[in-house]
Amino acid sequence: MNHFLDIHTTDAADLRGMIDNAAAMKSARKGLLKGMPDADKPLDGHMVALIFEKPSTRTRVSFDVGVRQMGGQSMVLSGNDMQLGHGESIADTARVLSRYVDLIMIRTFEEATLLEMAEYATVPVINGLTNRTHPCQIMADILTFEEHNGPIKGKKVVWAGDGNNVAASFIHAAGQFGFDLTFTGPEALDPEMGFVEEARAKGVKIEIERDADKAVVGADLVVADTWVSMHDAQSARQRRHNLLHPYQVNDALMSKGNDDALFMHCLPAHREEEVTNSVMDGPQSVIFDEAENRLHAQKAVMRWCLGV
Ligand code: CP
Ligand code: NVA
């Protein structure tokens, strides 16, 4: 069963195949972004359930549109409106949904929920973000980097800020796609060291540098994300802002990286907090290509899951 649960647990050749397939599907639709199905409809007759236990704009719309472009049908379900949000077990939900649909995407809190869904579903399950990882986002980010600046293998990515779920998937991708990654942020918000060690064991450099200016030297890509994630307690907001303020991505920081370095953010952004408007809207920013590429990358992920 091809579940897409995480980047580090998915075969590296398969990941590369998905990125290449996403690029090919995107290029086949040039000029037809809106208003048209794909010429090829590999999801014809397939039904996809998209379950959200947290808010979403990009994941929700890009999965829904992607399914439809490929000739399938989708239903967007809010966890709260399902019995799942009122005490029905994840295992029973997985077994019931598997009788109706061909593929399940879930955005949830605990990773254990995703894993239980995958264990009991008899159809593929896709991770649409948990507190711990966000693999679909990074597939779109790899596609975006390579469209702009060529192969990501051997490049240097700098993650500035919180060592959160999106950072974790970037670290996984470093090991699988063969690029180096420097994390710059406060020690209290370091990424999971187990993920760092695992990527290092695959032969890439994963560095931790507390000085943001030093970290960005030689960067081919600088990435930021919100300082307070959806699963973080609001009571921790001020402490996080204080800790993360020195890691804001601004023009001065970007100027320390390579001239052709790109800036990415998975969005939603908190402008003038983790990143300034000048960087978000500046010439190095590819944030809206990233958002578009969620669509193309996830289409390839869904095809891989379904083997179509
Ligand atoms: N980047 C991302 O996953 O955005 P949404 O929360 O809007 O889905
Ligand atoms: N780290 C953020 C990503 C949102 C797409 C969060 O989990 O809220």
Side-chain angles (χ1 to χ4, degrees):
M1 179 89 63
N2 280 346
H3 296 304
F4 187 74
L5 301 180
D6 269 314
I7 289 180
H8 64 142
T9 53
T10 302
D11 180 75
D14 285 4
L15 293 168
R16 171 44 58 192
M18 287 182 237
I19 298 292
D20 294 346
N21 183 226
M25 282 191 285
K26 180 174 181 176
S27 127
R29 301 186 49 86
K30 270 270 181 285
L32 296 176
L33 182 58
K34 295 195 265 301
M36 295 276 285
D38 290 359
D40 189 20
K41 296 184 189 56
L43 259 62
D44 194 14
H46 290 81
M47 185 65 76
V48 181
L50 307 171
I51 306 172
F52 290 88
E53 296 195 293
K54 285 174 176 168
S56 168
T57 296
R58 281 142 289 269
T59 307
R60 180 186 305 244
V61 178
S62 58
F63 264 106
D64 197 350
V65 170
V67 171
R68 293 168 196 235
Q69 284 185 351
M70 294 194 291
Q73 295 189 65
S74 56
M75 59 187 77
V76 178
L77 304 163
S78 145
N80 258 339
D81 295 338
M82 298 172 72
Q83 299 292 8
L84 178 66
H86 301 273
E88 185 165 18
S89 76
I90 299 151
D92 286 349
T93 304
R95 288 180 285 210
V96 169
L97 288 180
S98 298
R99 300 291 179 104
Y100 303 132
V101 305
D102 303 284
L103 180 62
I104 299 169
M105 192 285 316
I106 180 164
R107 164 170 289 194
T108 188
F109 288 86
E110 298 304 326
E111 183 182 59
T113 306
L114 169 80
L115 298 180
E116 193 173 342
M117 186 70 83
E119 184 181 347
Y120 289 96
T122 55
V123 299
V125 172
I126 296 176
N127 176 358
L129 180 146
T130 69
N131 296 357
R132 202 171 179 212
T133 61
H134 194 7
C136 290
Q137 179 65 52
I138 309 311
M139 295 298 281
D141 293 356
I142 304 291
L143 176 62
T144 307
F145 183 90
E146 296 198 336
E147 273 177 2
H148 284 270
N149 283 4
I152 196 161
K153 192 174 165 63
K155 300 289 189 189
K156 175 177 172 178
V157 173
V158 175
W159 179 275
D162 182 14
N164 64 13
N165 46 3
V166 183
S169 290
F170 240 119
I171 292 167
H172 295 158
Q176 297 289 66
F177 287 91
F179 58 86
D180 297 333
L181 186 145
T182 298
F183 169 82
T184 187
E187 191 175 355
L189 300 176
D190 269 349
E192 281 188 43
M193 283 305 142
F195 290 160
V196 168
E197 293 306 336
E198 188 188 349
R200 284 178 178 156
K202 290 179 178 161
V204 296
K205 247 195 284 176
I206 308 289
E207 294 185 329
I208 300 203
E209 169 56 66
R210 303 286 168 220
D211 182 328
D213 286 342
K214 285 189 192 154
V216 171
V217 173
D220 298 295
L221 168 64
V222 179
V223 194
D225 188 14
T226 180
W227 288 343
V228 186
S229 283
M230 291 182 273
H231 61 274
D232 288 323
Q234 280 305 314
S235 56
R237 188 182 169 78
Q238 195 54 54
R239 176 176 165 267
R240 290 179 148 271
H241 274 237
N242 295 342
L243 284 168
L244 288 160
H245 187 72
Y247 299 96
Q248 183 192 61
V249 179
N250 49 38
D251 288 326
L253 189 64
M254 286 303 292
S255 73
K256 304 277 191 310
N258 290 345
D259 289 345
D260 66 348
L262 302 173
F263 170 75
M264 289 192 194
H265 190 308
C266 64
L267 306 178
H270 302 76
R271 288 167 173 261
E272 300 299 329
E273 291 182 8
E274 70 269 11
V275 56
T276 58
N277 281 320
S278 57
V279 172
M280 284 281 282
D281 302 325
Q284 291 167 283
S285 172
V286 291
I287 54 174
F288 298 114
D289 291 340
E290 247 187 298
E292 179 188 329
N293 283 337
R294 294 293 303 278
L295 168 66
H296 308 294
Q298 289 158 189
K299 285 167 71 178
V301 170
M302 289 190 277
R303 290 187 70 167
W304 175 81
C305 286
L306 291 166
V308 295

